Amino acid sequence: MEPITRRTALWAGAAGWAAAAMVPAGASAAKALPAAGDKPPFRFSLNTATIRGQKLPLPQQVRITAQAGYDSIEPWLRDLEEFAQGGGNLDDVRKQIADAGLTVESAIGFPSWCVDDDAVRARGLEQLKRDMELILRIGGHRIAAPPAGAHATAGIDLRKIGERYRTVLEIGRQMGVVAQLEIWGGSKTLSRLSEAIFVAAEAAHPDACVLLDAYHLYKGGSDFAAIRLLNGAAMHTFHINDYPAQPPRDKIGDADRVFPGDGIAPLETLIADLYRAGFRGGFSLELFNRDYWQRDAAEVARTGLEKTKAAAAKALAGIERTAG
């Protein structure tokens, strides 16, 4: 395993700066950016969907994440379940993650927590508890809460979803896991940033937060400028990716996502707005590109990290120029 110091140094190499300055919105004086080798202002995580098509066992996913130089890993709950059901020990995975100098950014599961059907929702909440127990086993304390089960249903009362999200957050508080409200751009429920903001506010809970994604913001038709309305300090994770000009928005799908910088997403503006809003969380690379799944997983992970760091560096350099 490569030491943390090498991952820190990789930031400087991929970012391409030696010393610079960035200023939070409203600041009256420039403040120096980290010099080369200093700790970056964001975490960089690998969402294991990016190498999911290679069908690697969980310990190998961890090894690839660490060796590529990421700060954290965002696994899928299905992989944790399959590993445990196959006789694997999640306590060993927790040790492997810690020994590699990684943290667990979040985890991806699909319990039906926000549907109208009471029985289905009750089963979804039980599944959510099991998912939280799994993520705790490997040292994680955050989980995604997407509109699974409700994505094909339009017209669900957002106020009721706010109440249901509060229930999820209360379960998480009791267990020690924060549920991050996630939008799906192609969903008929919770497809837009404005809806997520409304639901999070309606939950009226101190742990309420949103988990956004560049692709889903685009797919759902959200105005990226609305990022400026958020308190970035209350956001933990952002799914980073890019998307091409074709297919068009109404036809584009998850598999069309590409590495940051290889598409048309306004990532420089988006990342700068997140930074100015106070976001200092984790950029988790989440791709479902079938072409990448045919390539060597370690090479895909390394390339994704380099391109993510380059996009972040470009955005922060733009802040410096503006402040200059």
Side-chain angles (χ1 to χ4, degrees), residues 40 73 118 143 210 214 224 239 256 271 307:
I73 186 170
D118 292 343
I143 194 169
V210 294
F224 281 35
H239 284 162
D256 296 308
I271 294 171
K307 288 180 176 287

Coordinates of all heavy atoms in Angstrom, one line a residue, residues 40 73 118 143 210 214 224 239 256 271 307:
P40 N -5.1 19.4 0.2 CA -6.0 20.1 -0.6 C -7.3 20.4 0.2 O -7.6 19.9 1.3 CB -6.3 19.1 -1.7 CG -6.1 17.8 -1.1 CD -4.9 18.0 -0.1
I73 N -13.2 5.9 0.0 CA -13.9 5.0 -0.9 C -15.4 5.1 -0.6 O -15.8 5.3 0.5 CB -13.4 3.5 -0.7 CG1 -14.0 2.6 -1.8 CG2 -13.6 3.0 0.7 CD1 -13.4 1.2 -1.8
D118 N -47.4 2.3 2.6 CA -46.9 2.2 4.0 C -46.1 0.9 4.2 O -45.1 0.9 4.9 CB -48.1 2.3 5.0 CG -48.7 3.6 5.1 OD1 -48.1 4.6 4.6 OD2 -49.9 3.7 5.6
I143 N -24.5 7.7 4.3 CA -25.1 6.8 3.3 C -26.0 7.6 2.4 O -26.5 8.7 2.8 CB -25.9 5.7 4.0 CG1 -26.3 4.6 3.1 CG2 -27.2 6.3 4.7 CD1 -26.9 3.4 3.8
V210 N -27.8 17.4 1.5 CA -28.1 16.9 0.1 C -26.8 16.3 -0.5 O -25.7 16.7 -0.2 CB -28.6 18.0 -0.8 CG1 -30.0 18.4 -0.3 CG2 -27.7 19.2 -0.9
A214 N -23.1 16.0 -10.7 CA -23.1 16.8 -11.9 C -24.0 16.3 -13.0 O -24.8 17.0 -13.6 CB -21.7 16.9 -12.4
F224 N -27.5 25.0 -12.6 CA -26.3 24.9 -11.7 C -26.1 26.1 -10.9 O -25.4 26.0 -9.8 CB -25.1 24.6 -12.6 CG -25.0 23.2 -13.1 CD1 -26.1 22.4 -13.4 CD2 -23.7 22.6 -13.3 CE1 -26.0 21.1 -13.9 CE2 -23.6 21.3 -13.8 CZ -24.8 20.6 -14.1
H239 N -21.0 13.9 -6.0 CA -20.7 12.9 -7.0 C -20.2 13.7 -8.3 O -20.9 14.4 -9.0 CB -21.9 12.0 -7.4 CG -22.1 11.0 -6.4 ND1 -23.3 10.3 -6.3 CD2 -21.4 10.5 -5.4 CE1 -23.3 9.5 -5.3 NE2 -22.1 9.6 -4.7
D256 N -23.6 7.1 -20.1 CA -23.0 8.1 -20.9 C -22.0 9.0 -20.2 O -21.3 9.8 -20.8 CB -24.0 9.0 -21.6 CG -24.9 8.2 -22.6 OD1 -24.3 7.5 -23.4 OD2 -26.1 8.2 -22.5
I271 N -17.5 23.8 -9.5 CA -16.6 23.6 -8.4 C -16.3 24.9 -7.7 O -16.3 24.9 -6.4 CB -15.4 22.8 -8.8 CG1 -15.7 21.4 -9.3 CG2 -14.3 22.8 -7.7 CD1 -14.6 20.7 -10.0
K307 N -8.0 13.4 -13.4 CA -8.9 14.3 -14.1 C -9.8 15.0 -13.1 O -10.1 16.2 -13.3 CB -9.7 13.5 -15.2 CG -8.9 13.1 -16.4 CD -9.8 12.4 -17.4 CE -9.0 12.0 -18.7 NZ -8.7 13.2 -19.5

